Amino acid sequence: MRTIDWVDGCPLIVDQTVLPDEVRFLSLSTVDLLIDAIRRLAIRGAPALGVAGAMGVALAARLGNELGIDVDDAVRRIRAARPTAVNLAWGVDRAAAYLPAGPAAVLAEALTIRDAELAASYEMGRRGADLLQELAGDRIRVLTHCNTGGLATVEYGTALAAVRSLHERGQLTDVLVSETRPLLQGARLTAWELRESGIAHRLVTDSAGPFLMVRGQVDAVVLGADRICANGDVINKIGTYAHALGARAAGIPFVVVAPESTVDLETKSGTDVDIENRAGGEVLSFSGRRTAPLGTEALNPAFDVTPYPLVTAIVTESRVIRLDRGDLP
Amino acid sequence: MRTIDWVDGCPLIVDQTVLPDEVRFLSLSTVDLLIDAIRRLAIRGAPALGVAGAMGVALAARLGNELGIDVDDAVRRIRAARPTAVNLAWGVDRAAAYLPAGPAAVLAEALTIRDAELAASYEMGRRGADLLQELAGDRIRVLTHCNTGGLATVEYGTALAAVRSLHERGQLTDVLVSETRPLLQGARLTAWELRESGIAHRLVTDSAGPFLMVRGQVDAVVLGADRICANGDVINKIGTYAHALGARAAGIPFVVVAPESTVDLETKSGTDVDIENRAGGEVLSFSGRRTAPLGTEALNPAFDVTPYPLVTAIVTESRVIRLDRGDLP
């Protein structure tokens, strides 16, 4: 099962808003449907967003050709659908470079990106597992945050690919999955993926992680990134920074696994990044049920910045950046 | 409105499991009803549990006299209803010391404890606000965790009493309330109390706190304690430790406000404390809605330990313990 693919002239995605209750596929036949799917996180995860951006441009190019829609405007709107994720803009730009060559060339580039992301996932899994073994030995208990599995990529994953790879090597002894409020990607998506793959795991609240680390129940934290800055600062799902503080206090490795497309050398450091504040309603409800009294307001930063000194290493499909040894992205 | 009181020969409590949707009072007419209310957190919060423990003994003494129930067994069972909260056992023991003098003497002691907790709340509010002003100036933005308000005491609160007191002095400019998973005491109870009191506030996820601190949006963290160890280690709701790491990294004060009855000099340090692991179901659902796939397991430590070096000060009704200056409880 692929999280995103190109079927019958359109992007076909797994709707992540209805998991784990239902596995529903959505055919995104218009640019507005695609943008809406990106905005409401029906498709999410840095690598998957790169593919979605490129396929969005392929869709716009086809519809421009067939129906005469304004392709440049469509490309601009797709690119701006999520401000923090650098991969979306990256995928859009790569595909858009082929617009002068026509819709078929744009589609070919989008499919190239899809295939490259697929190959990159397996490579990140292998390199990530190698590093985790090197840092934490041959019987490893990991904690992961948010969803970095097949659902965040085309298949297999980024950080969760490393976890899968450790499992395949017989070196994984425990997985703690933080639920990842407010949208519960850990509880809804990661727990679902691990169950489907037969990998034993337990769910924990987001604020329990640092305590479980200092109590000696975690050997390494491994998670993804939405953007990696030139100095090594990591922009990722809210809660990443708190987990990094916990890992440092407990003296365990904090490993980020993400594709090269996440590395953004144009962004000098995390202080330069516009952190997306999403709607307060996400915090005020839990699985569709209101949690706070009517009229309560919420502040909902969707991402945070983990400063490079807290990151042991960043693993991509082509290299291991040992920030703890002074390497730079 | 008092969270717990003695009415018509029984403890009368506000059922905190149905807030904020409903304000429902429960008359606890048997020892089993009382123990059940404590276990399922219908009544909770260190000071309120102390009063509940004492009133439970008064109830047992009355029923022993009238119906011949086994009072010693009832006292033992009440004392063991929650293992981590020291106040419950403290309240039970104080009231039980009067058992030889008869039910009226036990009840008199329970009411004395109730009245003392009431007075202590206002005193903690005053002292806590004084300290926060001293540490953070005259226009203070606080972050608080869990519920330490009137609902955790008889009325007014502990840490939230300090927040209320700052508000009454016109020196409170923002309150961030962490939702406090898994049972959402921040979202359900603290937000409700602050709304009832007309104090502006915003809800945040538990993992957002440390990031908002380092981004300069919080001047001080103020929260409660379930137990304070002889070395100053603080046992409190899960997530407290992660917030303490955040406060330290951001260089802002981390202030604990709790009654003297929380200080347990018999416990040398946090490593000696049995941390209550509650049912995984609390993490896996909210309000009856399942969040993770069927069959998912969860690990649910209900409390954590914040080591004393991360705590700026502990405020009680009678003193300010400046851990940052080497004071000891």
Side-chain angles (χ1 to χ4, degrees):
Chain A
M1 188 196 86
R2 287 181 176 177
T3 297
I4 180 165
D5 213 338
W6 184 267
V7 176
D8 297 336
C10 305
L12 182 76
I13 66 163
V14 178
D15 182 352
Q16 300 190 31
T17 63
V18 297
L19 278 172
D21 296 323
E22 193 184 333
V23 181
R24 184 191 298 166
F25 289 87
L26 294 180
S27 178
L28 305 174
S29 55
T30 71
V31 170
D32 285 340
L33 280 173
L34 177 103
I35 290 171
D36 181 58
I38 291 171
R39 284 216 181 110
R40 62 191 185 81
L41 311 189
I43 179 125
R44 43 148 293 282
L49 283 174
V51 178
M55 288 189 176
V57 178
L59 175 69
R62 180 174 74 71
L63 296 177
N65 209 37
E66 293 174 8
L67 304 174
I69 73 162
D70 182 339
V71 177
D72 287 345
D73 177 64
V75 167
R76 254 191 312 274
R77 289 192 298 122
I78 296 166
R79 202 177 187 284
R82 291 278 303 278
T84 310
V86 70
N87 290 58
L88 176 64
W90 172 90
V92 165
D93 292 347
R94 271 197 50 177
Y98 288 82
L99 280 170
V106 176
L107 177 58
E109 179 65 6
L111 299 183
T112 298
I113 291 173
R114 175 202 62 190
D115 295 341
E117 290 292 358
L118 247 170
S121 276
Y122 288 89
E123 198 54 34
M124 280 184 271
R126 187 182 67 73
R127 288 175 189 272
D130 286 351
L131 178 69
L132 286 166
Q133 266 186 264
E134 184 187 329
L135 295 169
D138 289 343
R139 295 182 52 76
I140 307 180
R141 301 162 302 169
V142 302
L143 183 146
T144 189
H145 185 57
C146 199
N147 176 262
T148 59
L151 292 168
T153 58
V154 179
E155 55 183 56
Y156 207 57
T158 58
L160 208 64
V163 175
R164 289 180 192 280
S165 186
L166 281 178
H167 172 73
E168 287 156 14
R169 298 177 186 186
Q171 288 162 340
L172 186 70
T173 59
D174 196 15
V175 184
L176 297 182
V177 177
S178 68
E179 60 178 358
T180 317
R181 285 282 288 153
L183 294 180
L184 297 165
Q185 289 94 338
R188 293 191 303 107
L189 307 179
T190 302
W192 180 80
E193 284 200 45
L194 290 173
R195 191 193 62 172
E196 294 291 301
S197 302
I199 301 175
H201 59 281
R202 287 176 295 172
L203 198 67
V204 295
T205 60
D206 300 323
S207 76
F211 178 61
L212 294 168
M213 293 177 211
V214 81
R215 282 264 160 149
Q217 299 194 42
V218 181
D219 299 311
V221 176
V222 55
L223 38 65
D226 286 82
R227 187 185 298 212
I228 291 163
C229 307
N231 70 344
D233 285 356
V234 171
I235 318 297
N236 192 46
K237 174 59 33 77
I238 190 73
T240 301
Y241 170 62
H243 281 102
L245 289 175
R248 172 53 48 93
I252 61 172
F254 185 85
V255 172
V256 171
V257 184
E260 284 289 334
S261 55
T262 311
V263 176
D264 176 24
L265 299 178
E266 301 300 305
T267 305
K268 298 291 174 240
S269 78
T271 53
D272 300 335
V273 177
D274 173 27
I275 295 293
E276 184 180 353
N277 272 303
R278 293 180 59 86
E282 292 181 351
V283 179
L284 298 166
S285 68
F286 190 96
S287 220
R289 298 291 295 259
R290 189 165 51 80
T291 60
L294 269 178
T296 304
E297 291 184 18
L299 180 62
N300 185 19
F303 299 90
D304 62 25
V305 179
T306 300
Y308 70 86
L310 294 176
V311 181
T312 307
I314 296 167
V315 177
T316 76
E317 66 274 31
S318 60
R319 54 185 172 144
V320 173
I321 306 158
R322 290 290 296 256
L323 296 173
D324 63 342
R325 292 180 181 164
D327 291 358
L328 278 176
Chain B
M1 189 195 84
R2 289 182 175 178
T3 296
I4 180 166
D5 214 337
W6 184 267
V7 176
D8 296 336
C10 305
L12 182 77
I13 66 164
V14 177
D15 182 351
Q16 301 189 31
T17 64
V18 297
L19 279 172
D21 297 323
E22 193 184 332
V23 181
R24 183 192 298 166
F25 289 87
L26 295 179
S27 179
L28 305 174
S29 55
T30 71
V31 169
D32 285 341
L33 281 173
L34 177 103
I35 290 171
D36 181 59
I38 292 171
R39 284 217 181 109
R40 63 190 184 80
L41 312 189
I43 178 124
R44 44 151 292 284
L49 282 174
V51 178
M55 287 188 176
V57 178
L59 176 68
R62 179 174 74 71
L63 297 177
N65 210 37
E66 292 173 8
L67 306 173
I69 72 162
D70 182 338
V71 177
D72 287 345
D73 176 64
V75 167
R76 255 190 311 274
R77 290 191 298 122
I78 296 166
R79 200 175 189 284
R82 291 280 304 278
T84 310
V86 70
N87 291 59
L88 177 63
W90 172 90
V92 166
D93 292 347
R94 270 197 51 179
Y98 288 82
L99 280 171
V106 177
L107 177 58
E109 178 64 6
L111 299 183
T112 299
I113 291 173
R114 175 202 64 192
D115 295 341
E117 290 294 359
L118 247 170
S121 276
Y122 288 88
E123 198 54 33
M124 281 184 272
R126 187 182 66 75
R127 287 176 189 272
D130 286 351
L131 178 70
L132 287 166
Q133 264 186 266
E134 184 186 328
L135 294 169
D138 289 342
R139 295 182 52 77
I140 307 181
R141 301 162 302 168
V142 302
L143 182 146
T144 189
H145 185 57
C146 198
N147 175 262
T148 59
L151 292 168
T153 58
V154 178
E155 56 183 57
Y156 207 58
T158 58
L160 208 64
V163 175
R164 289 180 192 281
S165 185
L166 281 177
H167 172 74
E168 287 156 14
R169 298 176 187 186
Q171 288 162 340
L172 186 71
T173 60
D174 196 15
V175 184
L176 297 181
V177 176
S178 69
E179 60 177 358
T180 318
R181 282 284 290 152
L183 294 180
L184 297 163
Q185 288 94 340
R188 294 191 302 107
L189 307 179
T190 303
W192 180 80
E193 283 199 45
L194 290 172
R195 190 193 63 173
E196 294 291 302
S197 302
I199 300 174
H201 59 281
R202 287 176 295 171
L203 199 65
V204 296
T205 61
D206 299 323
S207 76
F211 178 60
L212 294 167
M213 292 176 212
V214 80
R215 282 263 159 150
Q217 299 194 41
V218 181
D219 299 311
V221 176
V222 56
L223 38 65
D226 286 81
R227 188 185 297 213
I228 292 163
C229 307
N231 69 343
D233 285 358
V234 171
I235 318 298
N236 192 44
K237 176 56 35 75
I238 190 73
T240 301
Y241 171 62
H243 280 101
L245 288 175
R248 171 55 48 93
I252 61 172
F254 184 86
V255 173
V256 172
V257 183
E260 284 288 333
S261 55
T262 310
V263 177
D264 176 24
L265 298 179
E266 301 299 307
T267 305
K268 298 291 174 237
S269 79
T271 53
D272 300 336
V273 176
D274 173 27
I275 295 293
E276 183 179 355
N277 272 301
R278 293 179 59 87
E282 291 182 352
V283 179
L284 296 165
S285 69
F286 170 71
S287 214
R289 288 290 296 265
R290 191 162 48 79
T291 60
L294 266 178
T296 304
E297 291 183 18
L299 180 62
N300 184 19
F303 299 90
D304 62 24
V305 179
T306 300
Y308 69 87
L310 295 176
V311 181
T312 308
I314 296 168
V315 178
T316 76
E317 66 273 30
S318 58
R319 54 188 173 145
V320 174
I321 306 160
R322 289 291 295 256
L323 295 173
D324 64 342
R325 292 181 181 164
D327 292 357
L328 279 176

